[in-house]
Amino acid sequence: MTPRLTLNIMLFLTVLYGAAVAIVAVTDTPGLGTFTIVGAIVLGVLWVARGFLIRGSR
């Protein structure tokens, strides 16, 4: 996988997560807090992993 492709995938996942949070917030679902915390942690770990992998390939 190229660095550009991983960047595009991560940006897509981040935008998709933001849209999902917006939809869940509009529908006033009771599990919003848990959903946002877990999603943010997963995305954060993925961004960090991408950073380490890209830095290691240079």
Side-chain angles (χ1 to χ4, degrees):
M1 246 191 238
T2 65
R4 181 75 179 169
L5 179 61
T6 59
L7 175 63
N8 288 339
I9 290 171
M10 287 303 301
L11 287 174
F12 174 75
L13 288 175
T14 302
V15 170
L16 186 66
Y17 170 71
V21 168
I23 290 169
V24 171
V26 168
T27 59
D28 200 28
T29 305
L32 178 63
T34 304
F35 176 74
T36 55
I37 291 170
V38 170
I41 290 171
V42 169
L43 274 176
V45 168
L46 287 174
W47 275 109
V48 169
R50 181 196 178 270
F52 278 120
L53 292 174
I54 296 301
R55 184 172 40 154
S57 67
R58 288 185 187 176

